[in-house]
Amino acid sequence: MPGSKEMEKLAVIGCGTMGHSIALNAAWAGMQVKMYGVDANDIQNGMSGVTDKLNTLLKNDLITKDQEGQILDRITGTDLLSEAIDGATFIIECIPEVLELKNDLFRKLDGMCSDDVILATNTSGLSPSRIALNLKHPERTLATHFWNPAHLIPLVEVLRAEFTDDKTFNRAIEMLRFMKKKPIEVKKEVPGLVGNRLQFALFREAQNLLAQGIASKEDIDAAVTYSIGRRLPVTGPLLSADMGGLDVFASISDYLFKDLSNTDQSSVNLKELVSQGHFGQKNGEGFYFWDEKFSKEMNQKREEQLIRFLREDIN
């Protein structure tokens, strides 16, 4: 087990959207990382994602050309699980959000790893206690939920499973801080943790406003990006309430909460889009039409904004 000044040796199980981005984040922080993929093509796709993101960091002067090469050298891809976890002290699972798949993987890891290797899941919605069910050493399991894109978003939500011990939790927090992340402790197992519950509360009301014809999709989005979106990077909802006056916020809550959406399912508009096979950016149409030009423009805008925030964090 690493001491307080010794670096964890990380294995990331999964090369997809989250897996390769987490591997990049760790390697950028100076850690040696092994990244597991199901086959050579999976690994190649993951490494291509790492390379593309490094090019963007280089273009924005967040790393030098020498650092780019050093970061790449710290990441080793493999399609052998035994090779991926060999020598690892900390493992982060980033496989699909299917409980049975995660149960099977954690049982394998529990039997293959020494007792002091931490087993973390990147799940955003599944219970880490259920993922760790029937393990011999459930005390070394927990959830570390990174946000996409993991190398640019600082937040990581850390949630103990039922039997997680303090040593495991503290090592996870220490490693995440070493990776320059901003970990928060989620004290109870709830679906969606903290960030997604807040995000989807807003999304529910946005769906409701659109369904009632109160504003267009463009104006609903603009209402966020040009108002609360401007101050949320500095003040979250509770701090904003303090600054605005709790008497005012209490009064508004008392009359407005009654009129907010409390539906327990997605809106008719959203269901229709999904039933028609319109999934958004991933296949070209959703609430918006995603041609190549619009997709490139929006992804670039978001990445540039996140990089500006990250540069401020670094400085």
Side-chain angles (χ1 to χ4, degrees), residues 253-312:
S253 296
D254 286 344
Y255 79 76
L256 186 57
F257 280 7
K258 302 184 184 83
D259 200 52
L260 293 177
S261 173
N262 64 357
T263 182
D264 60 1
Q265 56 185 311
S266 53
S267 69
V268 172
N269 289 355
L270 181 54
K271 288 181 182 294
E272 286 180 354
L273 287 170
V274 172
S275 69
Q276 294 166 10
H278 300 318
F279 303 149
Q281 180 177 218
K282 66 166 62 176
N283 66 353
E285 187 175 350
F287 288 113
Y288 293 83
F289 179 66
W290 292 85
D291 60 16
E292 185 177 350
K293 179 181 177 183
F294 183 65
S295 182
K296 184 177 180 180
E297 175 189 350
M298 293 313 300
N299 279 279
Q300 185 174 337
K301 277 186 176 180
R302 185 174 76 165
E303 195 163 63
E304 287 175 351
Q305 185 63 58
L306 293 174
I307 285 172
R308 279 195 286 272
F309 285 133
L310 187 61
R311 183 174 281 113
E312 289 179 9

Side-chain angles (χ1 to χ4, degrees), residues 7 23-31 71 74 175 178-180:
M7 206 181 300
L24 166 56
N25 196 140
W28 190 5
M31 300 172 65
I71 292 168
R74 295 186 192 115
M175 186 190 74
F178 182 84
M179 290 171 63
K180 311 300 183 187

Side-chain angles (χ1 to χ4, degrees), residues 25 44 50 52 76 103 112-113 151 168 184 192 231 233 239 245-246 266 268 280-281 296 300-301:
N25 196 140
Q44 179 59 47
V50 169
D52 289 344
T76 303
N103 283 149
M112 295 170 71
C113 299
H151 67 299
T168 295
I184 67 166
R231 68 186 185 207
L239 185 56
L246 294 183
S266 53
V268 172
Q281 180 177 218
K296 184 177 180 180
Q300 185 174 337
K301 277 186 176 180

Side-chain angles (χ1 to χ4, degrees), residues 20 41 46 65 87 94 97 113 120 135-136 154 171 174 181 207 226 244 278-279:
H20 80 263
N41 186 61
K65 189 65 179 175
C94 300
E97 290 285 85
C113 299
L135 299 187
K136 292 180 181 178
R171 274 178 61 190
E174 185 175 354
K181 310 312 283 183
Q207 290 181 68
Y226 296 121
H278 300 318
F279 303 149

Side-chain angles (χ1 to χ4, degrees), residues 149-265:
H151 67 299
L152 297 180
I153 299 285
L155 178 67
V156 180
E157 297 170 289
V158 183
L159 172 63
R160 299 170 190 255
E162 182 179 358
F163 298 107
T164 306
D165 62 22
D166 289 341
K167 186 186 297 183
T168 295
F169 178 81
N170 292 335
R171 274 178 61 190
I173 294 292
E174 185 175 354
M175 186 190 74
L176 291 168
R177 287 176 176 161
F178 182 84
M179 290 171 63
K180 311 300 183 187
K181 310 312 283 183
K182 300 292 185 184
I184 67 166
E185 179 181 5
V186 183
K187 296 179 181 291
K188 296 181 179 180
E189 288 192 61
V190 290
L193 304 180
V194 175
N196 267 326
R197 291 178 77 91
L198 293 169
Q199 177 176 229
F200 276 82
L202 177 60
F203 184 46
R204 177 168 62 183
E205 189 57 37
Q207 290 181 68
N208 180 53
L209 292 168
L210 185 63
Q212 291 190 52
I214 292 172
S216 68
K217 62 180 181 292
E218 294 86 358
D219 285 345
I220 292 169
D221 282 342
V224 174
T225 57
Y226 296 121
S227 65
I228 58 174
R230 291 293 176 95
R231 68 186 185 207
L232 282 175
V234 181
T235 60
L238 301 179
L239 185 56
S240 292
D242 264 2
M243 295 181 74
L246 294 183
D247 53 336
V248 175
F249 273 69
S251 176
I252 294 173
S253 296
D254 286 344
Y255 79 76
L256 186 57
F257 280 7
K258 302 184 184 83
D259 200 52
L260 293 177
S261 173
N262 64 357
T263 182
D264 60 1
Q265 56 185 311

Side-chain angles (χ1 to χ4, degrees), residues 111-136:
M112 295 170 71
C113 299
S114 61
D115 301 354
D116 58 359
V117 176
I118 291 178
L119 307 181
T121 174
N122 185 55
T123 186
S124 59
L126 296 175
S127 160
S129 293
R130 294 185 68 192
I131 292 172
L133 200 63
N134 298 323
L135 299 187
K136 292 180 181 178

